[in-house]
Amino acid sequence: AAWASWRLGLPLPDYAMIGALRDRVRNHSSSSKAWGLLSLMLRIAVEYSSPDDCQALVAECEQTARKALSLDRDNGEARAALAGLPPLFGNWLAVREQLLVARERDTENVPVAHDLAILEMATGRPSAATPIIEALIARDPLAALFHYKRVYHLWVSGQYAEMDRVADRALQLWPRHPAIWFARVWSLGFTDRPAAALALTEDGAIRPQIPPTAFEALRGTLSACARKADDKEDIASAVAANLQAAKRGPAQCVAAIIHLAALGAVDRAFDVANAYFLRRGPLIVQLRNTADDPSINDQHRRVTQMLFLPVTEVLRRDGRFLQLCDETGLVGYWRQAKVAPDFLSKT
């Protein structure tokens, strides 16, 4: 049951499952697997919990992971939990080293492979992330957690027909899953099909709960794209809506960078990126998820994956992009890890 919860990958702590696992380890204290799964579920809870609960969950996650490793030093779930406990942003090299060691010790471990794919995508290497997620889906074709990542990878590689098949199938299997829904809307809206994306936003039967500011910014962006940007007032209105939404939380900062790039508002996109990543510039953004911010997988903390999507290519062509990568530490990561991001490898 804990494994099923992890595979579903909803952006919320599964406190019922954590409680059940706590009972399990009390009765089977020598089970490394139980301790490792508990640490993994606690790591997820740390990311999606309220500030009031966070400190205690961090301590418990570390304690349970250490207990699992004391019973089995190769326990991949515990190693993945410890690697993912701190935020990934700015910590890419340490996480990479931990995950590579964990993979050497347990070559078939799924959470380790999954987190390595996240790291590769976050550091601009979708070509390295893609085969990992492909292999995981081949092993477990009904894990929701893998599918929205697969949508983005197919989008990056230009395989639109396969992207549509995977995205539509995922949305039918897991309607209202926020990460899957946003992946489907964005992958339609920013592959020259904004009208289809708008229609999807109108379907309340499968739409997750989205705060009004986020929904208005999304709809306004798609509407402006659907009209081929003929109306400068529409574009200006959509830009303003995204700048206001970006102040509400990290998920809306991510969306604003994507939307502003799609609208061609490059300067404003960099304003949001500088505020979100560097706390710099006139825009002040909220970096903690609140009730005013959509709860979307992997977006309660600062992320960089959206910087490497096709829709943000207009940013990567700008001279400020590499400066942003340098100041966030990505350039240093590429140098120390001896890897190159895909967008530089192609030039």
Side-chain angles (χ1 to χ4, degrees):
W3 187 240
S5 177
W6 184 86
R7 292 166 61 245
L8 182 58
L10 289 174
L12 48 85
D14 192 339
Y15 288 121
M17 183 49 55
I18 288 170
L21 283 167
R22 285 171 177 150
D23 292 339
R24 174 73 176 179
V25 297
R26 273 196 292 268
N27 296 325
H28 301 273
S29 60
S30 62
S31 171
S32 173
K33 193 70 171 179
W35 285 104
L37 280 169
L38 177 55
S39 69
L40 192 66
M41 298 302 292
L42 287 164
R43 192 221 73 77
I44 296 168
V46 168
E47 184 169 351
Y48 298 118
S49 69
S50 70
D52 291 339
D53 297 331
C54 190
Q55 182 174 335
L57 289 168
V58 168
E60 187 180 3
C61 176
E62 184 176 19
Q63 291 165 2
T64 54
R66 298 297 182 196
K67 176 64 175 179
L69 291 170
S70 74
L71 296 166
D72 175 9
R73 68 174 190 166
D74 296 335
N75 186 295
E77 286 78 21
R79 288 185 176 274
L82 289 175
L85 189 54
L88 179 61
F89 179 77
N91 196 39
W92 304 289
L93 187 63
V95 172
R96 179 185 183 84
E97 291 172 347
Q98 291 178 72
L99 291 175
L100 290 178
V101 169
R103 188 173 64 172
E104 287 178 4
R105 292 181 174 276
D106 187 355
T107 58
E108 298 299 315
N109 189 270
V110 172
V112 169
H114 168 265
D115 288 2
L116 188 57
I118 289 179
L119 170 73
E120 297 289 16
M121 185 68 185
T123 54
R125 286 164 43 84
S127 63
T130 295
I132 299 174
I133 294 297
E134 283 180 347
L136 291 177
I137 289 179
R139 290 171 57 184
D140 188 357
L142 293 176
L145 189 62
F146 307 148
H147 279 72
Y148 67 90
K149 298 175 178 71
R150 178 70 172 142
V151 173
Y152 291 119
H153 297 165
L154 291 166
W155 183 7
V156 168
S157 64
Q159 300 178 68
Y160 293 168
E162 179 68 4
M163 176 189 76
D164 289 343
R165 187 191 70 79
V166 171
D168 288 341
R169 177 175 178 268
L171 201 56
Q172 289 169 345
L173 289 171
W174 302 286
R176 293 184 180 272
H177 193 297
I180 289 172
W181 188 87
F182 271 96
R184 175 73 293 205
V185 170
W186 283 335
S187 64
L188 279 172
F190 306 127
T191 55
D192 297 323
R193 295 172 290 175
L198 276 169
L200 194 59
T201 67
E202 295 167 0
D203 188 348
I206 61 173
R207 186 178 65 236
Q209 288 188 334
I210 305 172
T213 53
F215 192 62
E216 290 166 10
L218 174 62
R219 294 267 306 167
T221 300
L222 293 171
S223 296
C225 291
R227 284 191 281 273
K228 303 295 184 185
D230 290 334
D231 191 331
K232 292 184 179 180
E233 289 186 7
D234 279 354
I235 297 173
S237 177
V239 168
N242 277 286
L243 291 175
Q244 286 302 311
K247 300 175 183 178
R248 302 298 185 98
Q252 290 183 76
C253 283
V254 172
I257 291 170
I258 292 172
H259 297 168
L260 292 166
L263 293 166
V266 174
D267 290 344
R268 301 290 78 78
F270 275 108
D271 286 343
V272 175
N274 283 324
Y276 177 61
F277 292 122
L278 305 173
R279 311 291 279 167
R280 180 182 300 165
L283 192 67
I284 304 299
V285 302
Q286 171 66 262
L287 293 184
R288 182 176 62 82
N289 182 269
T290 67
D292 291 332
D293 201 38
S295 186
I296 307 173
N297 299 60
D298 312 322
Q299 293 184 21
H300 282 226
R301 295 171 168 180
R302 278 183 288 187
V303 299
T304 48
Q305 286 91 325
M306 71 289 192
L307 296 177
F308 306 105
L309 294 174
V311 66
T312 52
E313 183 181 359
V314 64
L315 305 184
R316 295 192 295 279
R317 293 199 303 262
D318 190 286
R320 289 169 288 184
F321 186 78
L322 270 178
Q323 180 181 349
L324 178 68
C325 290
D326 188 26
E327 293 179 323
T328 56
L330 277 168
V331 171
Y333 165 80
W334 295 325
R335 183 175 59 252
Q336 290 176 284
K338 297 181 173 58
V339 297
D342 292 353
F343 79 97
L344 290 180
S345 300
K346 296 175 182 177
T347 58

